[in-house]
Amino acid sequence: MTVVALVPAAGRGERLGAGRPKALVPVRGEPLLTHAVRGLLASGRVDHVVVAAPPAEVDQVADLLRPLGPAVHVVAGGGERTDSVRLALDAALTFAPAADVVLVHDAARAFTPPEVVRAVVDAVVGGAPAVVPVLPVADTVKQVDADGRVVGTPDRSALRAVQTPQGFAVDLLRRAHAAAEGAATDDAGLVERLGEPVATVPGHPWAMKVTTPFDLAVAEAVLAGEEGR
Ligand code: CTP
Ligand code: MG
């Protein structure tokens, strides 16, 4: 069983507003991307990692990740997250031609515990062709119209917040991306459009996505707590 992890890391990090690509923003001395790739490798289940870097920063990112070893490859990402995933998926054909399982993991979810990575891989290996880690939703969620007026309140008990890594049988993800029209916010969404089933495994609070300065402060605090143990 060969597992390749794709890491979309080519975003500009506009909501974080750190003046550089989010993947390169340091938390306790190391960029988010380094934490993310380290976590994937620490799972012991990932054979190759393909990072989609901001096109202008490919060499810098390759230098940054070189200490993590020859299993980590860096390619240029694209304009939208979906483009970055597709470019990394294409590159995986070269770097990991024997891969049968593919993970897609946001660099922004840099502190995902290795146990979550293992749970996703094990579920795919166990026969689920598409798997996402999820958490219950704590807030009540409203659906609104274009003017912000509430039009509905979905039953919260049936809602889940979705994290990464998302795991797939490699052929299914290829098919999903080949059929994709327009961007999607996650890869499982493309698989759903094919009418294929998507399974869930328990996610983890630390797999939170670092989007805003508040999230970065939370991540700093989580890591400080970890290092202090
Ligand atoms: N991503 C990517 N290529 C893009 C856009 C996003 O690889 N063209 C990646 C980001 O680097 C991130 C993940 O997709 O790891 C999730 O995207 P998001 O959290 O939106 O990050 P950014 O696009 O960088 O942030 P923002 O939307 O605030 O600019
Ligand atoms: Mg974005």
Side-chain angles (χ1 to χ4, degrees):
M1 191 62 65
T2 301
V3 179
V4 59
L6 316 180
V7 181
R12 288 198 296 271
E14 274 165 12
R15 287 168 291 180
L16 190 58
R20 60 173 125 177
K22 185 161 68 182
L24 299 177
V25 172
V27 174
R28 294 188 76 78
E30 282 196 313
L32 285 171
L33 177 59
T34 307
H35 288 285
V37 174
R38 225 189 259 296
L40 286 165
L41 296 173
S43 73
R45 296 282 202 283
V46 172
D47 301 295
H48 295 273
V49 178
V50 182
V51 173
E57 270 92 13
V58 169
D59 291 344
Q60 187 188 339
V61 168
D63 288 346
L64 176 74
L65 298 177
R66 195 159 292 119
L68 299 186
V72 182
H73 316 275
V74 180
V75 300
E80 301 288 339
R81 182 186 180 283
T82 314
D83 304 318
S84 295
V85 173
R86 190 172 301 128
L87 288 163
L89 187 58
D90 291 346
L93 273 177
T94 310
F95 297 125
D100 21 280
V101 175
V102 57
L103 304 180
V104 185
H105 185 44
D106 288 334
R109 297 187 188 271
F111 306 103
T112 302
E115 304 86 78
V116 174
V117 179
R118 284 196 282 273
V120 171
V121 172
D122 291 350
V124 179
V125 172
V131 178
V132 297
V134 298
L135 286 181
V137 176
D139 294 315
T140 293
V141 176
K142 301 285 186 195
Q143 189 175 357
V144 297
D145 66 15
D147 299 320
R149 263 188 302 263
V150 172
V151 295
T153 307
D155 174 14
R156 192 176 67 194
S157 68
L159 298 178
R160 297 291 181 273
V162 180
Q163 303 179 324
T164 73
Q166 301 189 345
F168 307 92
V170 73
D171 295 344
L172 177 58
L173 189 65
R174 287 229 165 84
R175 211 151 46 83
H177 272 272
E181 280 169 27
T185 55
D186 78 338
D187 300 278
L190 299 178
V191 168
E192 289 158 50
R193 287 184 203 167
L194 295 181
E196 299 289 344
V198 178
T200 63
V201 296
H204 194 284
W206 295 357
M208 62 178 275
K209 185 153 75 81
V210 174
T211 305
T212 64
F214 173 80
D215 301 330
L216 198 62
V218 171
E220 293 270 4
V222 164
L223 212 57
E226 265 294 273
E227 287 170 359
R229 282 204 310 195

